[in-house]
Amino acid sequence: VIANESFYSLKATSNTGEEIHFDRYKNQKVLIVNLASKCAFTPQYTELEKLYEKDGNLVILGFPSNNFGKQEPGNDAEINNFCKINYGITFPIFKKNNVKGNSKQEVYKWLTDKNKNAWNDIEPQWNFYKYLIDENGNLSKIFSSSVSPLDIKL
């Protein structure tokens, strides 16, 4: 099944204000995760960073949101500091935005609309929900918040 809209046509703004075009991730696997700093799953930041450092063909894209339990109250600068100071995060983190509902940002519109990604309509169920994009830009798998990033079979 072919997606109607290419993952590589997407773009998002990093939490430092840089516009990132996703065509830069061609031929790489991409793991997209919605993040929160005050969640029981927040320690997954450590696992995500380990995975990012270990697998040179995997890009992790983090999308902070306050959609679940108001567990990401910070602004972009606070989130950036939290990630760097507490977890040494080096993977890209994007501007805080909605990942569910009518006002969700474009990347999550693509991830959760089968008319765009070819098969999935499921929105994140909680913080640290994970979407895996294969090297060809296809949404290939979804992992619940409780799945450790280090347990994902890439």
Side-chain angles (χ1 to χ4, degrees), residues 108-145:
Y108 277 82
K109 285 181 182 172
W110 185 87
L111 289 170
T112 62
D113 181 347
K114 67 181 175 193
N115 293 319
K116 295 182 182 207
N117 66 47
W119 65 273
N120 178 61
D121 278 337
I122 299 171
E123 290 186 325
Q125 305 297 300
W126 197 252
N127 301 308
F128 292 88
Y129 209 74
K130 302 155 197 77
Y131 296 86
L132 183 63
I133 313 298
D134 70 16
E135 298 92 335
N136 300 310
N138 300 305
L139 178 59
S140 63
K141 292 182 184 154
I142 299 172
F143 302 94
S144 75
S145 306

PDB file of all heavy atoms in Angstrom, residues 108-145:
ATOM      1  N   TYR A 108       1.735  14.977  12.784  1.00  0.00           N
ATOM      2  CA  TYR A 108       0.784  14.054  13.407  1.00  0.00           C
ATOM      3  C   TYR A 108      -0.493  13.919  12.593  1.00  0.00           C
ATOM      4  O   TYR A 108      -1.153  12.886  12.662  1.00  0.00           O
ATOM      5  CB  TYR A 108       0.528  14.440  14.868  1.00  0.00           C
ATOM      6  CG  TYR A 108       1.629  13.877  15.743  1.00  0.00           C
ATOM      7  CD1 TYR A 108       2.850  14.527  15.873  1.00  0.00           C
ATOM      8  CD2 TYR A 108       1.485  12.650  16.368  1.00  0.00           C
ATOM      9  CE1 TYR A 108       3.879  13.981  16.624  1.00  0.00           C
ATOM     10  CE2 TYR A 108       2.509  12.097  17.117  1.00  0.00           C
ATOM     11  CZ  TYR A 108       3.699  12.768  17.241  1.00  0.00           C
ATOM     12  OH  TYR A 108       4.720  12.208  17.968  1.00  0.00           O
ATOM     13  N   LYS A 109      -0.824  14.913  11.773  1.00  0.00           N
ATOM     14  CA  LYS A 109      -1.942  14.742  10.835  1.00  0.00           C
ATOM     15  C   LYS A 109      -1.583  13.629   9.851  1.00  0.00           C
ATOM     16  O   LYS A 109      -2.417  12.784   9.530  1.00  0.00           O
ATOM     17  CB  LYS A 109      -2.243  16.050  10.097  1.00  0.00           C
ATOM     18  CG  LYS A 109      -2.955  17.056  10.959  1.00  0.00           C
ATOM     19  CD  LYS A 109      -3.268  18.333  10.190  1.00  0.00           C
ATOM     20  CE  LYS A 109      -3.936  19.341  11.115  1.00  0.00           C
ATOM     21  NZ  LYS A 109      -4.082  20.648  10.475  1.00  0.00           N
ATOM     22  N   TRP A 110      -0.334  13.611   9.391  1.00  0.00           N
ATOM     23  CA  TRP A 110       0.104  12.568   8.453  1.00  0.00           C
ATOM     24  C   TRP A 110       0.140  11.205   9.147  1.00  0.00           C
ATOM     25  O   TRP A 110      -0.345  10.208   8.604  1.00  0.00           O
ATOM     26  CB  TRP A 110       1.486  12.909   7.884  1.00  0.00           C
ATOM     27  CG  TRP A 110       1.940  11.944   6.824  1.00  0.00           C
ATOM     28  CD1 TRP A 110       1.671  12.018   5.489  1.00  0.00           C
ATOM     29  CD2 TRP A 110       2.731  10.763   7.009  1.00  0.00           C
ATOM     30  NE1 TRP A 110       2.250  10.941   4.829  1.00  0.00           N
ATOM     31  CE2 TRP A 110       2.900  10.158   5.748  1.00  0.00           C
ATOM     32  CE3 TRP A 110       3.312  10.150   8.114  1.00  0.00           C
ATOM     33  CZ2 TRP A 110       3.624   8.980   5.559  1.00  0.00           C
ATOM     34  CZ3 TRP A 110       4.030   8.973   7.934  1.00  0.00           C
ATOM     35  CH2 TRP A 110       4.183   8.403   6.657  1.00  0.00           C
ATOM     36  N   LEU A 111       0.705  11.153  10.349  1.00  0.00           N
ATOM     37  CA  LEU A 111       0.845   9.878  11.066  1.00  0.00           C
ATOM     38  C   LEU A 111      -0.494   9.233  11.405  1.00  0.00           C
ATOM     39  O   LEU A 111      -0.562   8.016  11.560  1.00  0.00           O
ATOM     40  CB  LEU A 111       1.609  10.098  12.378  1.00  0.00           C
ATOM     41  CG  LEU A 111       3.096  10.411  12.266  1.00  0.00           C
ATOM     42  CD1 LEU A 111       3.639  10.841  13.623  1.00  0.00           C
ATOM     43  CD2 LEU A 111       3.861   9.216  11.724  1.00  0.00           C
ATOM     44  N   THR A 112      -1.554  10.031  11.542  1.00  0.00           N
ATOM     45  CA  THR A 112      -2.829   9.524  12.062  1.00  0.00           C
ATOM     46  C   THR A 112      -3.979   9.599  11.058  1.00  0.00           C
ATOM     47  O   THR A 112      -5.133   9.527  11.454  1.00  0.00           O
ATOM     48  CB  THR A 112      -3.200  10.288  13.343  1.00  0.00           C
ATOM     49  OG1 THR A 112      -3.371  11.684  13.040  1.00  0.00           O
ATOM     50  CG2 THR A 112      -2.134  10.148  14.419  1.00  0.00           C
ATOM     51  N   ASP A 113      -3.653   9.725   9.779  1.00  0.00           N
ATOM     52  CA  ASP A 113      -4.693   9.774   8.746  1.00  0.00           C
ATOM     53  C   ASP A 113      -4.344   8.760   7.654  1.00  0.00           C
ATOM     54  O   ASP A 113      -3.403   8.963   6.890  1.00  0.00           O
ATOM     55  CB  ASP A 113      -4.774  11.189   8.162  1.00  0.00           C
ATOM     56  CG  ASP A 113      -5.848  11.332   7.100  1.00  0.00           C
ATOM     57  OD1 ASP A 113      -6.390  10.312   6.600  1.00  0.00           O
ATOM     58  OD2 ASP A 113      -6.160  12.489   6.743  1.00  0.00           O
ATOM     59  N   LYS A 114      -5.125   7.669   7.601  1.00  0.00           N
ATOM     60  CA  LYS A 114      -4.800   6.614   6.638  1.00  0.00           C
ATOM     61  C   LYS A 114      -4.918   7.093   5.193  1.00  0.00           C
ATOM     62  O   LYS A 114      -4.336   6.487   4.304  1.00  0.00           O
ATOM     63  CB  LYS A 114      -5.638   5.361   6.886  1.00  0.00           C
ATOM     64  CG  LYS A 114      -7.106   5.499   6.618  1.00  0.00           C
ATOM     65  CD  LYS A 114      -7.813   4.187   6.926  1.00  0.00           C
ATOM     66  CE  LYS A 114      -9.305   4.339   6.793  1.00  0.00           C
ATOM     67  NZ  LYS A 114     -10.012   3.204   7.367  1.00  0.00           N
ATOM     68  N   ASN A 115      -5.637   8.181   4.959  1.00  0.00           N
ATOM     69  CA  ASN A 115      -5.688   8.738   3.609  1.00  0.00           C
ATOM     70  C   ASN A 115      -4.364   9.386   3.228  1.00  0.00           C
ATOM     71  O   ASN A 115      -4.101   9.615   2.050  1.00  0.00           O
ATOM     72  CB  ASN A 115      -6.822   9.762   3.487  1.00  0.00           C
ATOM     73  CG  ASN A 115      -8.173   9.091   3.622  1.00  0.00           C
ATOM     74  OD1 ASN A 115      -8.393   8.001   3.094  1.00  0.00           O
ATOM     75  ND2 ASN A 115      -9.069   9.722   4.358  1.00  0.00           N
ATOM     76  N   LYS A 116      -3.538   9.695   4.232  1.00  0.00           N
ATOM     77  CA  LYS A 116      -2.213  10.282   3.970  1.00  0.00           C
ATOM     78  C   LYS A 116      -1.102   9.242   4.078  1.00  0.00           C
ATOM     79  O   LYS A 116      -0.217   9.186   3.243  1.00  0.00           O
ATOM     80  CB  LYS A 116      -1.948  11.432   4.946  1.00  0.00           C
ATOM     81  CG  LYS A 116      -2.900  12.595   4.742  1.00  0.00           C
ATOM     82  CD  LYS A 116      -2.603  13.744   5.683  1.00  0.00           C
ATOM     83  CE  LYS A 116      -3.624  14.841   5.440  1.00  0.00           C
ATOM     84  NZ  LYS A 116      -3.135  16.147   5.779  1.00  0.00           N
ATOM     85  N   ASN A 117      -1.135   8.396   5.140  1.00  0.00           N
ATOM     86  CA  ASN A 117      -0.028   7.457   5.397  1.00  0.00           C
ATOM     87  C   ASN A 117      -0.305   6.033   4.898  1.00  0.00           C
ATOM     88  O   ASN A 117       0.534   5.169   5.048  1.00  0.00           O
ATOM     89  CB  ASN A 117       0.321   7.433   6.888  1.00  0.00           C
ATOM     90  CG  ASN A 117      -0.800   6.861   7.741  1.00  0.00           C
ATOM     91  OD1 ASN A 117      -1.376   5.826   7.440  1.00  0.00           O
ATOM     92  ND2 ASN A 117      -1.114   7.538   8.834  1.00  0.00           N
ATOM     93  N   ALA A 118      -1.467   5.783   4.370  1.00  0.00           N
ATOM     94  CA  ALA A 118      -1.869   4.515   3.727  1.00  0.00           C
ATOM     95  C   ALA A 118      -2.536   3.494   4.649  1.00  0.00           C
ATOM     96  O   ALA A 118      -3.198   2.599   4.144  1.00  0.00           O
ATOM     97  CB  ALA A 118      -0.714   3.849   2.990  1.00  0.00           C
ATOM     98  N   TRP A 119      -2.423   3.600   6.002  1.00  0.00           N
ATOM     99  CA  TRP A 119      -3.066   2.552   6.801  1.00  0.00           C
ATOM    100  C   TRP A 119      -3.444   2.922   8.228  1.00  0.00           C
ATOM    101  O   TRP A 119      -4.267   2.252   8.833  1.00  0.00           O
ATOM    102  CB  TRP A 119      -2.208   1.296   6.833  1.00  0.00           C
ATOM    103  CG  TRP A 119      -0.878   1.453   7.534  1.00  0.00           C
ATOM    104  CD1 TRP A 119       0.278   1.891   6.973  1.00  0.00           C
ATOM    105  CD2 TRP A 119      -0.575   1.183   8.907  1.00  0.00           C
ATOM    106  NE1 TRP A 119       1.278   1.913   7.908  1.00  0.00           N
ATOM    107  CE2 TRP A 119       0.783   1.468   9.101  1.00  0.00           C
ATOM    108  CE3 TRP A 119      -1.329   0.710   9.993  1.00  0.00           C
ATOM    109  CZ2 TRP A 119       1.414   1.323  10.330  1.00  0.00           C
ATOM    110  CZ3 TRP A 119      -0.689   0.558  11.217  1.00  0.00           C
ATOM    111  CH2 TRP A 119       0.658   0.863  11.375  1.00  0.00           C
ATOM    112  N   ASN A 120      -2.897   3.943   8.804  1.00  0.00           N
ATOM    113  CA  ASN A 120      -3.133   4.188  10.230  1.00  0.00           C
ATOM    114  C   ASN A 120      -3.983   5.414  10.518  1.00  0.00           C
ATOM    115  O   ASN A 120      -3.732   6.491   9.977  1.00  0.00           O
ATOM    116  CB  ASN A 120      -1.801   4.348  10.967  1.00  0.00           C
ATOM    117  CG  ASN A 120      -2.034   4.658  12.439  1.00  0.00           C
ATOM    118  OD1 ASN A 120      -2.624   3.868  13.160  1.00  0.00           O
ATOM    119  ND2 ASN A 120      -1.608   5.827  12.874  1.00  0.00           N
ATOM    120  N   ASP A 121      -4.974   5.236  11.409  1.00  0.00           N
ATOM    121  CA  ASP A 121      -5.796   6.347  11.899  1.00  0.00           C
ATOM    122  C   ASP A 121      -5.628   6.564  13.405  1.00  0.00           C
ATOM    123  O   ASP A 121      -6.325   7.379  13.983  1.00  0.00           O
ATOM    124  CB  ASP A 121      -7.283   6.065  11.639  1.00  0.00           C
ATOM    125  CG  ASP A 121      -7.702   6.401  10.213  1.00  0.00           C
ATOM    126  OD1 ASP A 121      -7.039   7.218   9.566  1.00  0.00           O
ATOM    127  OD2 ASP A 121      -8.707   5.829   9.751  1.00  0.00           O
ATOM    128  N   ILE A 122      -4.729   5.813  14.041  1.00  0.00           N
ATOM    129  CA  ILE A 122      -4.632   5.862  15.502  1.00  0.00           C
ATOM    130  C   ILE A 122      -3.757   7.019  15.962  1.00  0.00           C
ATOM    131  O   ILE A 122      -2.588   7.132  15.576  1.00  0.00           O
ATOM    132  CB  ILE A 122      -4.071   4.529  16.055  1.00  0.00           C
ATOM    133  CG1 ILE A 122      -5.004   3.377  15.679  1.00  0.00           C
ATOM    134  CG2 ILE A 122      -3.869   4.602  17.569  1.00  0.00           C
ATOM    135  CD1 ILE A 122      -4.436   2.007  15.978  1.00  0.00           C
ATOM    136  N   GLU A 123      -4.355   7.882  16.793  1.00  0.00           N
ATOM    137  CA  GLU A 123      -3.606   8.981  17.409  1.00  0.00           C
ATOM    138  C   GLU A 123      -2.823   8.437  18.603  1.00  0.00           C
ATOM    139  O   GLU A 123      -3.142   7.369  19.132  1.00  0.00           O
ATOM    140  CB  GLU A 123      -4.578  10.053  17.929  1.00  0.00           C
ATOM    141  CG  GLU A 123      -5.270  10.835  16.847  1.00  0.00           C
ATOM    142  CD  GLU A 123      -6.099  11.983  17.412  1.00  0.00           C
ATOM    143  OE1 GLU A 123      -6.684  11.848  18.505  1.00  0.00           O
ATOM    144  OE2 GLU A 123      -6.155  13.033  16.747  1.00  0.00           O
ATOM    145  N   PRO A 124      -1.809   9.183  19.053  1.00  0.00           N
ATOM    146  CA  PRO A 124      -1.103   8.751  20.267  1.00  0.00           C
ATOM    147  C   PRO A 124      -2.099   8.571  21.409  1.00  0.00           C
ATOM    148  O   PRO A 124      -3.022   9.370  21.561  1.00  0.00           O
ATOM    149  CB  PRO A 124      -0.150   9.911  20.569  1.00  0.00           C
ATOM    150  CG  PRO A 124      -0.020  10.658  19.294  1.00  0.00           C
ATOM    151  CD  PRO A 124      -1.299  10.450  18.550  1.00  0.00           C
ATOM    152  N   GLN A 125      -1.891   7.522  22.183  1.00  0.00           N
ATOM    153  CA  GLN A 125      -2.777   7.246  23.309  1.00  0.00           C
ATOM    154  C   GLN A 125      -2.269   7.878  24.601  1.00  0.00           C
ATOM    155  O   GLN A 125      -3.017   8.039  25.556  1.00  0.00           O
ATOM    156  CB  GLN A 125      -2.905   5.728  23.505  1.00  0.00           C
ATOM    157  CG  GLN A 125      -3.355   4.993  22.252  1.00  0.00           C
ATOM    158  CD  GLN A 125      -4.737   5.402  21.809  1.00  0.00           C
ATOM    159  OE1 GLN A 125      -5.693   5.243  22.546  1.00  0.00           O
ATOM    160  NE2 GLN A 125      -4.853   5.950  20.606  1.00  0.00           N
ATOM    161  N   TRP A 126      -0.955   8.221  24.628  1.00  0.00           N
ATOM    162  CA  TRP A 126      -0.337   8.835  25.812  1.00  0.00           C
ATOM    163  C   TRP A 126       1.016   9.368  25.390  1.00  0.00           C
ATOM    164  O   TRP A 126       1.422   9.233  24.226  1.00  0.00           O
ATOM    165  CB  TRP A 126      -0.216   7.800  26.944  1.00  0.00           C
ATOM    166  CG  TRP A 126       0.024   8.444  28.294  1.00  0.00           C
ATOM    167  CD1 TRP A 126       1.196   8.425  28.995  1.00  0.00           C
ATOM    168  CD2 TRP A 126      -0.901   9.207  29.076  1.00  0.00           C
ATOM    169  NE1 TRP A 126       1.042   9.139  30.173  1.00  0.00           N
ATOM    170  CE2 TRP A 126      -0.237   9.627  30.240  1.00  0.00           C
ATOM    171  CE3 TRP A 126      -2.240   9.593  28.896  1.00  0.00           C
ATOM    172  CZ2 TRP A 126      -0.834  10.403  31.236  1.00  0.00           C
ATOM    173  CZ3 TRP A 126      -2.840  10.356  29.877  1.00  0.00           C
ATOM    174  CH2 TRP A 126      -2.147  10.753  31.035  1.00  0.00           C
ATOM    175  N   ASN A 127       1.751   9.963  26.311  1.00  0.00           N
ATOM    176  CA  ASN A 127       3.106  10.435  26.052  1.00  0.00           C
ATOM    177  C   ASN A 127       4.010   9.250  25.708  1.00  0.00           C
ATOM    178  O   ASN A 127       3.787   8.136  26.170  1.00  0.00           O
ATOM    179  CB  ASN A 127       3.661  11.131  27.300  1.00  0.00           C
ATOM    180  CG  ASN A 127       2.804  12.298  27.726  1.00  0.00           C
ATOM    181  OD1 ASN A 127       2.500  13.178  26.932  1.00  0.00           O
ATOM    182  ND2 ASN A 127       2.398  12.313  28.988  1.00  0.00           N
ATOM    183  N   PHE A 128       5.021   9.503  24.897  1.00  0.00           N
ATOM    184  CA  PHE A 128       6.015   8.503  24.490  1.00  0.00           C
ATOM    185  C   PHE A 128       5.421   7.379  23.634  1.00  0.00           C
ATOM    186  O   PHE A 128       5.888   6.255  23.658  1.00  0.00           O
ATOM    187  CB  PHE A 128       6.803   7.961  25.703  1.00  0.00           C
ATOM    188  CG  PHE A 128       7.693   9.020  26.301  1.00  0.00           C
ATOM    189  CD1 PHE A 128       7.217   9.877  27.271  1.00  0.00           C
ATOM    190  CD2 PHE A 128       8.992   9.187  25.841  1.00  0.00           C
ATOM    191  CE1 PHE A 128       8.014  10.889  27.793  1.00  0.00           C
ATOM    192  CE2 PHE A 128       9.802  10.191  26.357  1.00  0.00           C
ATOM    193  CZ  PHE A 128       9.306  11.037  27.337  1.00  0.00           C
ATOM    194  N   TYR A 129       4.395   7.730  22.854  1.00  0.00           N
ATOM    195  CA  TYR A 129       3.842   6.843  21.832  1.00  0.00           C
ATOM    196  C   TYR A 129       4.790   6.948  20.636  1.00  0.00           C
ATOM    197  O   TYR A 129       5.277   8.037  20.341  1.00  0.00           O
ATOM    198  CB  TYR A 129       2.437   7.331  21.471  1.00  0.00           C
ATOM    199  CG  TYR A 129       1.474   6.287  21.011  1.00  0.00           C
ATOM    200  CD1 TYR A 129       0.899   5.392  21.907  1.00  0.00           C
ATOM    201  CD2 TYR A 129       1.102   6.205  19.676  1.00  0.00           C
ATOM    202  CE1 TYR A 129      -0.016   4.438  21.485  1.00  0.00           C
ATOM    203  CE2 TYR A 129       0.187   5.257  19.243  1.00  0.00           C
ATOM    204  CZ  TYR A 129      -0.363   4.376  20.149  1.00  0.00           C
ATOM    205  OH  TYR A 129      -1.271   3.435  19.732  1.00  0.00           O
ATOM    206  N   LYS A 130       5.073   5.837  19.958  1.00  0.00           N
ATOM    207  CA  LYS A 130       6.125   5.834  18.953  1.00  0.00           C
ATOM    208  C   LYS A 130       5.617   5.362  17.582  1.00  0.00           C
ATOM    209  O   LYS A 130       4.897   4.386  17.497  1.00  0.00           O
ATOM    210  CB  LYS A 130       7.271   4.925  19.416  1.00  0.00           C
ATOM    211  CG  LYS A 130       7.856   5.339  20.755  1.00  0.00           C
ATOM    212  CD  LYS A 130       8.516   4.155  21.455  1.00  0.00           C
ATOM    213  CE  LYS A 130       8.723   4.410  22.920  1.00  0.00           C
ATOM    214  NZ  LYS A 130       7.506   4.283  23.724  1.00  0.00           N
ATOM    215  N   TYR A 131       6.052   6.084  16.549  1.00  0.00           N
ATOM    216  CA  TYR A 131       5.729   5.742  15.161  1.00  0.00           C
ATOM    217  C   TYR A 131       7.038   5.514  14.423  1.00  0.00           C
ATOM    218  O   TYR A 131       7.928   6.368  14.450  1.00  0.00           O
ATOM    219  CB  TYR A 131       4.972   6.888  14.483  1.00  0.00           C
ATOM    220  CG  TYR A 131       3.624   7.172  15.093  1.00  0.00           C
ATOM    221  CD1 TYR A 131       3.482   8.012  16.190  1.00  0.00           C
ATOM    222  CD2 TYR A 131       2.465   6.607  14.553  1.00  0.00           C
ATOM    223  CE1 TYR A 131       2.230   8.280  16.747  1.00  0.00           C
ATOM    224  CE2 TYR A 131       1.211   6.871  15.101  1.00  0.00           C
ATOM    225  CZ  TYR A 131       1.107   7.704  16.197  1.00  0.00           C
ATOM    226  OH  TYR A 131      -0.127   7.964  16.742  1.00  0.00           O
ATOM    227  N   LEU A 132       7.159   4.354  13.763  1.00  0.00           N
ATOM    228  CA  LEU A 132       8.382   4.035  13.027  1.00  0.00           C
ATOM    229  C   LEU A 132       8.144   4.187  11.530  1.00  0.00           C
ATOM    230  O   LEU A 132       7.213   3.602  10.974  1.00  0.00           O
ATOM    231  CB  LEU A 132       8.826   2.605  13.344  1.00  0.00           C
ATOM    232  CG  LEU A 132      10.141   2.159  12.705  1.00  0.00           C
ATOM    233  CD1 LEU A 132      11.324   2.996  13.202  1.00  0.00           C
ATOM    234  CD2 LEU A 132      10.386   0.675  12.970  1.00  0.00           C
ATOM    235  N   ILE A 133       9.002   4.982  10.893  1.00  0.00           N
ATOM    236  CA  ILE A 133       8.975   5.196   9.448  1.00  0.00           C
ATOM    237  C   ILE A 133      10.152   4.418   8.867  1.00  0.00           C
ATOM    238  O   ILE A 133      11.276   4.526   9.373  1.00  0.00           O
ATOM    239  CB  ILE A 133       9.156   6.702   9.108  1.00  0.00           C
ATOM    240  CG1 ILE A 133       8.252   7.606   9.963  1.00  0.00           C
ATOM    241  CG2 ILE A 133       8.975   6.958   7.619  1.00  0.00           C
ATOM    242  CD1 ILE A 133       6.791   7.422   9.808  1.00  0.00           C
ATOM    243  N   ASP A 134       9.921   3.649   7.801  1.00  0.00           N
ATOM    244  CA  ASP A 134      11.019   2.868   7.222  1.00  0.00           C
ATOM    245  C   ASP A 134      11.897   3.739   6.310  1.00  0.00           C
ATOM    246  O   ASP A 134      11.631   4.929   6.114  1.00  0.00           O
ATOM    247  CB  ASP A 134      10.496   1.612   6.509  1.00  0.00           C
ATOM    248  CG  ASP A 134       9.739   1.893   5.220  1.00  0.00           C
ATOM    249  OD1 ASP A 134       9.828   3.022   4.656  1.00  0.00           O
ATOM    250  OD2 ASP A 134       9.042   0.970   4.744  1.00  0.00           O
ATOM    251  N   GLU A 135      12.945   3.123   5.737  1.00  0.00           N
ATOM    252  CA  GLU A 135      13.904   3.863   4.903  1.00  0.00           C
ATOM    253  C   GLU A 135      13.299   4.430   3.631  1.00  0.00           C
ATOM    254  O   GLU A 135      13.918   5.265   2.975  1.00  0.00           O
ATOM    255  CB  GLU A 135      15.077   2.956   4.501  1.00  0.00           C
ATOM    256  CG  GLU A 135      15.896   2.429   5.642  1.00  0.00           C
ATOM    257  CD  GLU A 135      15.430   1.071   6.168  1.00  0.00           C
ATOM    258  OE1 GLU A 135      14.237   0.719   6.012  1.00  0.00           O
ATOM    259  OE2 GLU A 135      16.249   0.367   6.748  1.00  0.00           O
ATOM    260  N   ASN A 136      12.102   3.984   3.281  1.00  0.00           N
ATOM    261  CA  ASN A 136      11.430   4.480   2.075  1.00  0.00           C
ATOM    262  C   ASN A 136      10.348   5.511   2.387  1.00  0.00           C
ATOM    263  O   ASN A 136       9.589   5.907   1.505  1.00  0.00           O
ATOM    264  CB  ASN A 136      10.830   3.312   1.291  1.00  0.00           C
ATOM    265  CG  ASN A 136      11.895   2.327   0.878  1.00  0.00           C
ATOM    266  OD1 ASN A 136      12.915   2.707   0.312  1.00  0.00           O
ATOM    267  ND2 ASN A 136      11.680   1.059   1.186  1.00  0.00           N
ATOM    268  N   GLY A 137      10.253   5.917   3.653  1.00  0.00           N
ATOM    269  CA  GLY A 137       9.278   6.933   4.035  1.00  0.00           C
ATOM    270  C   GLY A 137       7.894   6.396   4.317  1.00  0.00           C
ATOM    271  O   GLY A 137       6.931   7.159   4.357  1.00  0.00           O
ATOM    272  N   ASN A 138       7.771   5.079   4.523  1.00  0.00           N
ATOM    273  CA  ASN A 138       6.465   4.483   4.827  1.00  0.00           C
ATOM    274  C   ASN A 138       6.310   4.301   6.332  1.00  0.00           C
ATOM    275  O   ASN A 138       7.243   3.851   7.003  1.00  0.00           O
ATOM    276  CB  ASN A 138       6.336   3.116   4.152  1.00  0.00           C
ATOM    277  CG  ASN A 138       6.463   3.218   2.652  1.00  0.00           C
ATOM    278  OD1 ASN A 138       5.746   3.974   2.015  1.00  0.00           O
ATOM    279  ND2 ASN A 138       7.399   2.476   2.090  1.00  0.00           N
ATOM    280  N   LEU A 139       5.129   4.615   6.837  1.00  0.00           N
ATOM    281  CA  LEU A 139       4.825   4.317   8.229  1.00  0.00           C
ATOM    282  C   LEU A 139       4.789   2.795   8.340  1.00  0.00           C
ATOM    283  O   LEU A 139       3.997   2.140   7.669  1.00  0.00           O
ATOM    284  CB  LEU A 139       3.480   4.928   8.621  1.00  0.00           C
ATOM    285  CG  LEU A 139       3.002   4.661  10.044  1.00  0.00           C
ATOM    286  CD1 LEU A 139       3.988   5.184  11.079  1.00  0.00           C
ATOM    287  CD2 LEU A 139       1.626   5.281  10.259  1.00  0.00           C
ATOM    288  N   SER A 140       5.670   2.209   9.164  1.00  0.00           N
ATOM    289  CA  SER A 140       5.730   0.752   9.203  1.00  0.00           C
ATOM    290  C   SER A 140       5.182   0.146  10.480  1.00  0.00           C
ATOM    291  O   SER A 140       4.569  -0.908  10.430  1.00  0.00           O
ATOM    292  CB  SER A 140       7.153   0.259   8.946  1.00  0.00           C
ATOM    293  OG  SER A 140       8.029   0.704   9.947  1.00  0.00           O
ATOM    294  N   LYS A 141       5.380   0.808  11.629  1.00  0.00           N
ATOM    295  CA  LYS A 141       4.903   0.242  12.889  1.00  0.00           C
ATOM    296  C   LYS A 141       4.567   1.346  13.871  1.00  0.00           C
ATOM    297  O   LYS A 141       5.068   2.454  13.772  1.00  0.00           O
ATOM    298  CB  LYS A 141       5.971  -0.652  13.527  1.00  0.00           C
ATOM    299  CG  LYS A 141       6.260  -1.926  12.768  1.00  0.00           C
ATOM    300  CD  LYS A 141       7.298  -2.768  13.498  1.00  0.00           C
ATOM    301  CE  LYS A 141       7.640  -3.986  12.656  1.00  0.00           C
ATOM    302  NZ  LYS A 141       8.951  -4.516  12.918  1.00  0.00           N
ATOM    303  N   ILE A 142       3.748   0.956  14.866  1.00  0.00           N
ATOM    304  CA  ILE A 142       3.394   1.849  15.969  1.00  0.00           C
ATOM    305  C   ILE A 142       3.675   1.096  17.263  1.00  0.00           C
ATOM    306  O   ILE A 142       3.425  -0.108  17.344  1.00  0.00           O
ATOM    307  CB  ILE A 142       1.902   2.228  15.900  1.00  0.00           C
ATOM    308  CG1 ILE A 142       1.596   2.949  14.597  1.00  0.00           C
ATOM    309  CG2 ILE A 142       1.517   3.104  17.091  1.00  0.00           C
ATOM    310  CD1 ILE A 142       0.123   3.169  14.371  1.00  0.00           C
ATOM    311  N   PHE A 143       4.209   1.809  18.247  1.00  0.00           N
ATOM    312  CA  PHE A 143       4.509   1.202  19.541  1.00  0.00           C
ATOM    313  C   PHE A 143       3.869   2.028  20.649  1.00  0.00           C
ATOM    314  O   PHE A 143       3.969   3.255  20.652  1.00  0.00           O
ATOM    315  CB  PHE A 143       6.025   1.148  19.765  1.00  0.00           C
ATOM    316  CG  PHE A 143       6.749   0.390  18.696  1.00  0.00           C
ATOM    317  CD1 PHE A 143       7.283   1.042  17.600  1.00  0.00           C
ATOM    318  CD2 PHE A 143       6.894  -0.984  18.777  1.00  0.00           C
ATOM    319  CE1 PHE A 143       7.954   0.350  16.607  1.00  0.00           C
ATOM    320  CE2 PHE A 143       7.558  -1.695  17.785  1.00  0.00           C
ATOM    321  CZ  PHE A 143       8.083  -1.023  16.695  1.00  0.00           C
ATOM    322  N   SER A 144       3.261   1.352  21.600  1.00  0.00           N
ATOM    323  CA  SER A 144       2.622   2.052  22.710  1.00  0.00           C
ATOM    324  C   SER A 144       3.673   2.670  23.622  1.00  0.00           C
ATOM    325  O   SER A 144       4.862   2.347  23.548  1.00  0.00           O
ATOM    326  CB  SER A 144       1.732   1.097  23.500  1.00  0.00           C
ATOM    327  OG  SER A 144       2.532   0.242  24.288  1.00  0.00           O
ATOM    328  N   SER A 145       3.220   3.526  24.505  1.00  0.00           N
ATOM    329  CA  SER A 145       4.097   4.216  25.448  1.00  0.00           C
ATOM    330  C   SER A 145       4.877   3.251  26.305  1.00  0.00           C
ATOM    331  O   SER A 145       6.017   3.513  26.690  1.00  0.00           O
ATOM    332  CB  SER A 145       3.250   5.121  26.359  1.00  0.00           C
ATOM    333  OG  SER A 145       2.454   5.982  25.573  1.00  0.00           O
TER     334      SER A 145
END
